[in-house]
Each structure stands twice: as C-alpha cells, then as structure tokens.
Amino acid sequence: MSKLPSEFKGKGLPEPDGEVTIEEITPEKLAGMQAQQMAKMKAVADLAKSNLGKFDLPKNARYLHYSLSGLPEPYESLDTNRLTLAHFCIQSLSILKDGRLFDVVKGREVRERMIKWIYNLKVTQKVGETTIEGFCGGTFMGNPFNDVFLPTGTPPSTPTSVHLAMTYCALLTLLTLGDDLSHVNAQDIMEGVKGLQNLDREGDGILYGSFKSHCEG
C-alpha cells in the first residue's frame, strides 16, 4: 500500500480523515480481478439461462385482468380499438385456463358482463337497400350501455359504422366466452362482409380478395 500521491493535495478536494492510501495493482492482482469479474458475468449468464423458458402464469394472468378492467395509460390512443385489446386478453386467459374467468361457476358473472359489453358494440346499418350487421371497436361514440340484450336489427342510438376487424374480434371472443351467438343475425353479418369486399375497378363487377375495414373506406 502507498500514500495518496501529493499532487492530489490542495486541489480543492476535502481533506480526508487520517491517512489515505491507494492499492498498488500488480499483474497478479489484475489477473485475479479479471477472473473475478468473469466469474460474476458467468453467474449472471447462468441465472438468465436457468430462467429462460420459465413462465410466471399468475403474474401474467393478473396483468391481463388489469388490462381488461381498464385501458392502461400507454394504450389510451387505442380506445377506438378497445375490442381488439379485450379480444387478445380474453384469448390469452383462455390459453392460460384462468379460473377467475373460465371457471364454470366462479367466472360466470364476469363472462356474462363481458358478453353484454360486446353486444353493446353491435351495429346495424342500412347500405342502400341492404341491412348489414357487425360491431364497432369501442364505446367511444357515447352509446348508452344496455344491460339487456337488444333484439337483432336494433339500430344504435348514435350513428357509427360496422368495422370488419372488430366484427371478427367480437364473434371470436363471444364464442370463447361461451356465447351461442343467438343475438347475432348471421345473414346480415355475411351481407356486411360481402359489402366491404373491394372491386378491382369501379363498376367492373369483379370481386377480389381485399376488403375495406368499414363502409367509409
């Protein structure tokens, strides 16, 4: 051990109590420090490797329930597509076999509330002479919530548009929640999907595989 070099004194640094020393670094000590650092890095790598593939099911389920109960702040801009987020959360909980939602008895009330919420997003439109049915992405239009199932064909109180992707999410999520789709008019749904199919050129009468997301484009 050696004293702190004199050139560090009087440089505006606080004077330490007692004698301050610095350790001389010999090649042997440097090699030992390097070996110690390598051992620490290996321990961290081994820990990461041992945790690889482990899945914290309860923690993931809690996050999904949290996301269902309210839109997390980072996703507030997706309010118009809230049904999509609900779809992914519910499908994930189904894969996890989450008892809070999918237990036959314990999850019944929660499932029924979710089913009613989805049906409140149902939209019926007149496009020309054709009635189409589908779903919109969320309650952003301010429609009042109805705690009873509306009859098929009931128009929304606030004008909105059938959305193709939201209709897909709604139907699949309803089935996952155990709904029998008895409140859906299958023919009007099909008319809605058909009405969103694009023509190659205006008026050529040829239907192709691409679709508009909603009637407005």
Side-chain angles (χ1 to χ4, degrees), residues 165-187:
M166 298 304 108
T167 300
Y168 166 81
C169 288
L171 295 175
L172 189 57
T173 306
L174 286 170
L175 289 171
T176 302
L177 291 170
D179 186 66
D180 60 4
L181 302 184
S182 59
H183 302 283
V184 170
N185 187 314
Q187 184 59 41

Side-chain angles (χ1 to χ4, degrees), residues 127-147:
V127 179
E129 298 299 319
T130 305
T131 300
I132 67 173
E133 186 175 289
F135 292 80
C136 61
T139 55
F140 57 93
M141 294 296 291
N143 296 1
F145 183 84
N146 292 283
D147 199 37

Side-chain angles (χ1 to χ4, degrees), residues 79-154:
D79 187 47
T80 56
N81 299 321
R82 188 182 289 254
L83 182 55
T84 305
L85 301 179
H87 163 72
F88 282 111
C89 288
I90 291 169
Q91 302 304 329
S92 298
L93 288 168
S94 175
I95 293 171
L96 297 179
K97 302 185 186 304
D98 178 71
R100 288 173 58 189
L101 182 58
F102 289 99
D103 183 87
V104 175
V105 177
K106 295 179 181 178
R108 180 182 301 164
E109 183 180 348
V110 180
R111 290 196 305 274
E112 288 179 353
R113 288 205 310 267
M114 290 182 177
I115 288 170
K116 287 181 179 179
W117 178 77
I118 293 173
Y119 273 118
N120 269 265
L121 304 179
K122 190 171 69 170
V123 177
T124 302
Q125 285 181 269
K126 289 288 287 187
V127 179
E129 298 299 319
T130 305
T131 300
I132 67 173
E133 186 175 289
F135 292 80
C136 61
T139 55
F140 57 93
M141 294 296 291
N143 296 1
F145 183 84
N146 292 283
D147 199 37
V148 296
F149 292 115
L150 296 176
T152 298
T154 302

Side-chain angles (χ1 to χ4, degrees), residues 27 29-39:
K29 189 173 289 293
L30 179 60
M33 293 170 62
Q34 290 174 335
Q36 188 179 32
Q37 185 64 25
M38 290 296 293

